[in-house]
Amino acid sequence: MTTTATWPNSPAHAPTEDELAALHAWWRAANYLSVGQIYLMDNPLLRRPLQREHVKPRLLGHWGTTPGLTFLYAHANRAIRQRGLNAMYITGPGHGGPGLVAASYLEGTYSDVYPAVAQDEDGLKRLFTQFSFPGGIPSHVAPETPGSIHEGGELGYALSHAYGAMFDSPDQIAITVIGDGEAETGPLATSWHSNKFVNPQQDGVVLPILHLNGYKIANPTVLARIGDEELAALLRGYGHTPLFFTGGFDGEDPMTAHERFAGVLDTALDQIAQIKAQAQEDAAAGRETERPAWPMIVFRTPKGWTGPETIDGKQTEGSWRSHQVPLASARDTDEHLADLDTWLRSYRPEELFDEDGRLLEKIADTAPRAEHRMSANPSTNGGSVLRPLRLPDFRDYAVEVPRPGGAISEATRVLGTWLRDVVRENPRSFRIFGPDETASNRLQAVYEETDKQWNADFESHDRDEHLARAGRVMEVLSEHQCQGWLEGYLLTGRHGMFSSYEAFVHIVDSMVNQHAKWLKVTNELEWRRPLASLNYLLSSHVWRQDHNGFSHQDPGFIDHMVNKKAEIVRVYLPPDANTLLSTYDHCLRSRQYVNVVVAGKQPNPTWLSMDEAIVHCTRGLGIWEWAGTEADGEEPDVVLACAGDIPTIETLAAAKILREQVPGLKVRVVNVVDLMRLQDDSEHPHGLAQRDFDGLFGEDIPVVFAYHGYPWLIHRLAYRHDRTSRIHVRGYKEEGTTTTPFDMLMRNDTDRFHLVMDVIDRVEGLTTRYAGLRQQMEDERIRARAYAYEHGEDLPEISGWQWDEEAEEVGTVSATGGDNE
Amino acid sequence: MTTTATWPNSPAHAPTEDELAALHAWWRAANYLSVGQIYLMDNPLLRRPLQREHVKPRLLGHWGTTPGLTFLYAHANRAIRQRGLNAMYITGPGHGGPGLVAASYLEGTYSDVYPAVAQDEDGLKRLFTQFSFPGGIPSHVAPETPGSIHEGGELGYALSHAYGAMFDSPDQIAITVIGDGEAETGPLATSWHSNKFVNPQQDGVVLPILHLNGYKIANPTVLARIGDEELAALLRGYGHTPLFFTGGFDGEDPMTAHERFAGVLDTALDQIAQIKAQAQEDAAAGRETERPAWPMIVFRTPKGWTGPETIDGKQTEGSWRSHQVPLASARDTDEHLADLDTWLRSYRPEELFDEDGRLLEKIADTAPRAEHRMSANPSTNGGSVLRPLRLPDFRDYAVEVPRPGGAISEATRVLGTWLRDVVRENPRSFRIFGPDETASNRLQAVYEETDKQWNADFESHDRDEHLARAGRVMEVLSEHQCQGWLEGYLLTGRHGMFSSYEAFVHIVDSMVNQHAKWLKVTNELEWRRPLASLNYLLSSHVWRQDHNGFSHQDPGFIDHMVNKKAEIVRVYLPPDANTLLSTYDHCLRSRQYVNVVVAGKQPNPTWLSMDEAIVHCTRGLGIWEWAGTEADGEEPDVVLACAGDIPTIETLAAAKILREQVPGLKVRVVNVVDLMRLQDDSEHPHGLAQRDFDGLFGEDIPVVFAYHGYPWLIHRLAYRHDRTSRIHVRGYKEEGTTTTPFDMLMRNDTDRFHLVMDVIDRVEGLTTRYAGLRQQMEDERIRARAYAYEHGEDLPEISGWQWDEEAEEVGTVSATGGDNE
């Protein structure tokens, strides 16, 4: 374990008066541009008297947090220049969009990316007008904002994103502002503990700055109202050395505030430099570096700092009334217009911009240049630094399949062997995230190559299995953390996956929403380069949570994801180990998607050889001739369709019963791997044309579809196709408990016997002729349940899941005691 | 503000040796029964030699956390008896199901509720066999477990539930065990701050016990590996006085551990008694009580305490290997069977149970009696103590509607006036929860009657508007906290609602899943009485987040909810203020549902008089004759259907255009309030029979449906009805940004002009004849967008949303500066 870079460590010097004056001018400029964006659509330099028609008709934006953000940005810039830091800026209070747009404009990045918004008066007018304006840019820090990897519209993920961005970035620092409102969210509250997972030698630095401006929309914030002593204890308890700064109150001269804050920031950065120097020394000596108490800053300043002190007689600066747009009637009343004029002119724009409207050189000089600008840090446009993974040939990990179902394997365990080698080939750019379930989901082969990264205390090796100060597997019992870290890692140009129990991935429903939105918007921004996809592996799924019971049974994440834009979302249900290998290889090569892969971890038949699996996965769905009984060129009587590993087994078992019991019935078996192929081709790029749909599912024959999740999803996907009322779907209908695997299927009418009954009920002419078989199927169900209720396990002939009674176990481990679940 | 009860405060005395011996015996009994449940299906008292066939074939359960839970339960019982406490026990580590089942069995509650599981050897056999067994009970603490309000299958909500349960329960204490795995989750991490919202005078007490057994499934836990000093700082930072207990290591005599822990628990309870006494004194003197540093306990004991020290040569007790079933091969190998025998006999069952298999009287006597048993606390069967709300007549709050659309009102603001009086009439049993958005969602009339409850520091009254030490509104910027508190409040027999921005309620997707599962299971348990419904009010919805932009736009929570069982879920989209009043009155009267109500907060037309609104809401959907042009008794040419306030406006505007521009076209307008009515009556109790569906939507005419959310949901709901491919749905298709309200509609093709185009495209014979009108609609769209892009606001004739140009504003407030959003 070595660091790849030397931490910049120029000795700090206290800023000179001139430096502070320039810094202050830059701050005034950033604030001026922020207020301008919120209010103005014309007269951007106030060279004419301010008129009502210069003010936007709809005033949208959030002032309250903005001046604090610009203050911190200005000071970060000083430090970057002085120390040569490689920094990015993560804006937890994403509402402060105008501040970050202003900063990137002042640094020139904005005009680089959007040339129409040039460095002149016309550019300023465009900059102001476009903000929160139809056809313009959003009000929050957004994908459109250069230098951002974090929207901050939904709160709580700033620190997780920051740590994710810093893993394997040893020469970088993420200056991360956390709003004190955001700090009340659960995800943020736990993400402080990320410092127990960061490695000072091989990872970068997160400098959290808690922006304690005291108020949310209409309330004080909790952390602003517990006193400094309790707050300091909390932050020390989180493992930090807190540095407190209070500034801007009681009419403090801003120059004093600047001078004092520069000192606080220098202290923090000196401490960091010391920690990094120690880490480098340790690395050189081959020693481990123990977890240090990283510094962090509590930044207590007035909400809406430098804004109007009072409006309509009510305190505004330093109160929740600054949260959004303080002068809401600036276009409507003379009084508010005059207040706005005074406010804008308080920044003395005439001292900041030259004749053409360009920021004065001496002020611009306070910001860093080129890629040292936080708004131009290449890592914040992750696709621009992304390199493809070196992927071992997944075909080499295939399970040998002598005939369909002729080999038994645990799909995720087989995948683990390939992932082990993906880890080996990509020691600095691929990580596996999960809430304490990597082994439970049977990916433990990766531990032959790497460990779980951990930087809290260690005990004995026996108890701390596969735990090390550096490793590719990140486990913490917080799906929010896993998701946030992975997003941060991907957004800065790396690769990864998230392995989770299927039911509990719902915990991050809202987070993945935001990531999908980010991807959608960046698809429309040419300068944002494509990112590696966000890959889920959902195992321990609904059909095999029979031991954990109802609380652990929920296949609805798929339903959640298919609401996102079609060009972003892919859902795969590989039915066996070989198709899982092929699917995951595809996912790790893909860009700009959210790939949801659901796969079981229990010993199951392997249906397809690797060559067949590749063809099947490439098509996304297909007819399994060997499983059906249709004759060449003739339309079958019924289609048995299936998606998901367990429904596939039941479908094949049903097909077998039908072959034996209903001679002459022409059954087609269709297996679906890529769920989006069920859509119409007008709805999804993977969708099927009607002709192809008919080619697979017939034109007007019954389809009995056994699906992994909630059955109605199949209808929702296929509804645009013609004659879909003939499709009868079975799946999980929220009937779960602790029981046997087969009883789970029976409770949801998705077992093989019920599928046969469905065929008898739906194929013309069978109902009467095969009433006896139907009754026999009912009897089989009763027998299966009675056996389970008496013996506590399934009938051996069912629980073996045997399609091929001679099948050999390949790629499994006898289950005795191996896995905690 | 006064307390309604005196806190029991008998002076504590250290337990005598006899008391400790009996306590220890009770603990052994609880552990014995726990191990028995996990492993045995016969020979429950080991009166015969243990045989393989006595062991269950599938060993399912979680041993690791169980002995700690039973230890704490036993000690809590001693304290309850000695002090006369009114206590409940909340089990964060819900995996420890066997321990809680054992405790309630030992207290007799289990046999009271399930008489077949009697207090004898046969009852014991049933108790053991049923656990994690088909047809039996789940492996976790579950609704089936007497005394539980908290399943704990999905982790993170123990403290939120506990605080929710304690609001307005001044004489109760919730002894709340938090697993150290669970403690890593975001929701748990922030829920410690609940103590800033509890009022010592009028609320009950939460005693958190952090169960630091050190390991998760396969990892150490973070809080167990940061050292006591950092952990103590963290807990003090959370506002607690931590008391540390470490016991059971290095062969400590359990009697010593008992004695020491009794002292720690007594210290905590003495501190609590002191705080409560102070609160009572303050209340009597009319003084406020400042937030105390409530005690909490850090309980560090070995994972799998009293279980096998090593198995197969690997450390088990005190390691993650104890997490689940440590002797996985007890049925398969002689060695494991012998180990199990030794383990079970180590509890000396022959000293615990009498000849009949009943717990010895002297041991049973250590537990409290009747309702003092935590397993029989009536509040934990909330429905049994639930009293209906006193609801003011909602009709008195109606907006006067001279004619359809003849009055403009803000629906949620009108609802607020009724809620204000609901609060007044129910000062101790109704609370409103929300993440800092009660006023932003325009329910602020409630502040005429109550305040936001807050027990952190106060500043000036001006800045701390509507903030007080006691109040009915609970605001914290954590949807997890809001949801968890509300669930705890409902589960203990009270009423409430959760008002949230629509997009961010996804944050609690997984939590509401678990609550819906709880409701489903309790529906099947006669002894669990019905709870008040969990009521959402989703405002600031997708169509009016035009100012916050894309990150705030997501109507998918409805989609998420309709996956839950039909008998649990109700979704309402009242189109105006009067229908919202009628809907919410219904919701607050209902039981055992999750009611999702989506309603806007912006000034909108009010369509129906209160009498009409009641009829419409009772039907759930209906034809608005006044809006259409159909002739009596004739089938219309087209149905314009709508659900949601904004789509309703657009639909009526489209109908108006059609009436004027396409004379003779017979248009029917159908409005849907109760979304579940679109289902088939076999799918949902509110579903429509085919005949009724046809009666509303015609048999085979085109339907153009403008829907609030993702359009495919309508297809998914209606798919069982015949001929649904004629239904063409418009809605939000994930095209959002910061723009004008009308541009939002246009981006998603749900604007009035597009609806008219849809009609022209779908009604036979219109396409050619009305090509000009179609082009005109296109032109209107272009004009509307061009105006917005130039002026930053919508065309006045559109933005007025005017159906009736003479409409009066009733129940609105001019929007200038009134609301932060």
Side-chain angles (χ1 to χ4, degrees), chain A residues 334-523:
Chain A
D334 287 340
E335 202 188 343
H336 276 198
L337 185 71
D339 284 352
L340 177 61
D341 191 52
T342 308
W343 179 11
L344 280 162
R345 289 189 198 277
S346 74
Y347 300 115
R348 306 195 300 278
E350 66 283 2
E351 299 175 9
L352 305 173
F353 300 94
D354 69 14
E355 193 57 31
D356 297 334
R358 172 188 287 269
L359 184 68
L360 295 181
E361 202 66 35
K362 64 176 182 193
I363 304 172
D365 270 353
T366 66
R369 297 289 175 189
E371 296 193 347
H372 278 279
R373 296 175 294 180
M374 293 189 288
S375 58
N377 184 324
S379 292
T380 64
N381 183 4
S384 73
V385 296
L386 180 69
R387 299 213 187 130
L389 286 172
R390 294 158 56 107
L391 292 177
D393 191 334
F394 65 95
R395 292 172 296 190
D396 298 342
Y397 303 78
V399 173
E400 282 295 327
V401 180
R403 55 200 174 276
I408 302 292
S409 59
E410 294 162 320
T412 54
R413 195 183 294 274
V414 173
L415 181 68
T417 62
W418 179 69
L419 289 174
R420 173 196 62 212
D421 296 345
V422 174
V423 162
R424 195 184 53 227
E425 296 294 316
N426 303 277
R428 308 285 295 167
S429 59
F430 176 71
R431 286 185 186 248
I432 298 171
F433 300 82
D436 194 27
E437 293 157 7
T438 307
S440 171
N441 285 329
R442 301 198 186 160
L443 302 173
Q444 60 266 67
V446 297
Y447 296 135
E448 296 164 21
E449 191 57 44
T450 190
D451 292 299
K452 293 176 281 194
Q453 182 160 320
W454 175 263
N455 218 353
D457 298 347
F458 284 80
E459 291 190 357
S460 74
H461 182 72
D462 174 57
R463 277 175 293 187
D464 293 351
E465 218 172 40
H466 308 309
L467 220 57
R469 296 215 183 258
R472 299 285 101 196
V473 178
M474 310 297 300
E475 293 206 331
V476 61
L477 212 165
S478 164
E479 283 79 1
H480 292 114
Q481 283 271 72
C482 295
Q483 175 83 16
W485 285 346
L486 173 55
E487 288 177 1
Y489 199 62
L490 298 174
L491 285 159
T492 48
R494 280 79 64 81
H495 306 262
M497 58 180 285
F498 180 0
S499 128
S500 171
Y501 278 23
E502 183 184 39
F504 298 143
V505 74
H506 268 306
I507 290 171
V508 299
D509 274 6
S510 63
M511 292 183 77
V512 68
N513 272 355
Q514 299 298 333
H515 188 74
K517 283 172 186 281
W518 182 280
L519 293 178
K520 178 201 183 252
V521 174
T522 54
N523 274 345

Side-chain angles (χ1 to χ4, degrees), chain B residues 729-750:
Chain B
V729 189
R730 294 292 177 188
Y732 179 71
K733 49 183 190 178
E734 200 70 11
E735 289 295 339
T737 186
T738 313
T739 186
T740 66
F742 198 74
D743 190 43
M744 270 299 295
L745 288 159
M746 288 197 293
R747 282 167 185 261
N748 293 282
D749 295 339
T750 310

Side-chain angles (χ1 to χ4, degrees), chain A residues 33-40 56 98-99 101-102 127-128 131 137:
Chain A
L33 296 188
S34 299
V35 182
Q37 287 175 77
I38 295 173
Y39 292 92
L40 298 186
K56 298 181 187 182
V101 169
L127 182 79
F128 287 5
F131 177 81
I137 63 166

